[in-house]
Amino acid sequence: MLVAMMVLALSAVNPASESSAEKSRARPGTFKTHPATWATSLDYPPLAKKERREGTTEFLVRYGKNGKPTGCEIVSSSGHADLDEQTCRLVKARARFRPGKNHEGETVGGTYQNRVNWYLGKR
C-alpha cells in the first residue's frame, strides 16, 4: 500500500504587478509540516481499500496569516468521493505553513496545490 505526494506549487497571495523594490520585501510562504506527512498509507479509507479503489486526487489548500488551512477544494477528482473527501480532511487537519510576506512586509496567507496518489500496489 502506498500513498505518494508530488509537490506542485506554493505561493503567497501577492499583487501581480510589483516593482523590484516591492518584490524584495515580498516572499512566498513555506512549509511548516512536510506534504509527505499529510496523507500516508495508514490513511487509506477502509472501504476503498477493501474494494481496491485507486485514483489521484488533486487539491488546492488555502491558508491564513496564522499558517493554518482555511479551506480545501478538489481541483481534479480521483473518481471516488471517499478518496477525495479523505484528501481534504487530512490536508486541513495536518497541513501547516509559515506564511509569506507581501510587498509591504506584512504577513499574508497563500495557497498550495498538490495531489495525493491513492494507490494500493500489487495484488
Side-chain angles (χ1 to χ4, degrees):
M1 179 170 25
L2 172 70
V3 176
M5 302 277 296
M6 298 171 62
V7 176
L8 296 179
L10 177 68
S11 66
V13 178
N14 291 314
S17 59
E18 296 177 327
S19 70
S20 60
E22 290 172 327
K23 286 181 182 178
S24 67
R25 288 183 281 175
R27 66 171 173 75
T30 59
F31 301 116
K32 193 170 186 178
T33 58
H34 195 281
T37 65
W38 301 347
T40 71
S41 58
L42 299 175
D43 299 313
Y44 218 101
L47 185 58
K49 183 178 177 181
K50 181 180 177 182
E51 294 177 354
R52 301 206 48 84
R53 288 188 276 114
E54 300 175 331
T56 298
T57 302
E58 187 172 346
F59 67 90
L60 174 77
V61 61
R62 298 182 190 289
Y63 60 92
K65 292 179 187 183
N66 63 0
K68 294 181 181 178
T70 58
C72 177
E73 62 186 77
I74 302 303
V75 175
S76 178
S77 175
S78 66
H80 305 286
D82 56 347
L83 297 179
D84 296 345
E85 290 167 9
Q86 181 78 327
T87 297
C88 273
R89 188 183 70 72
L90 293 168
V91 167
K92 289 190 292 187
R94 297 178 180 166
R96 295 296 180 267
F97 301 88
R98 289 182 189 89
K101 300 281 184 180
N102 66 14
H103 64 279
E104 295 173 353
E106 300 168 330
T107 301
V108 293
T111 62
Y112 173 71
Q113 189 169 331
N114 201 333
R115 60 181 65 129
V116 175
N117 295 312
W118 296 102
Y119 177 66
L120 291 165
K122 295 182 180 181
R123 294 182 189 235

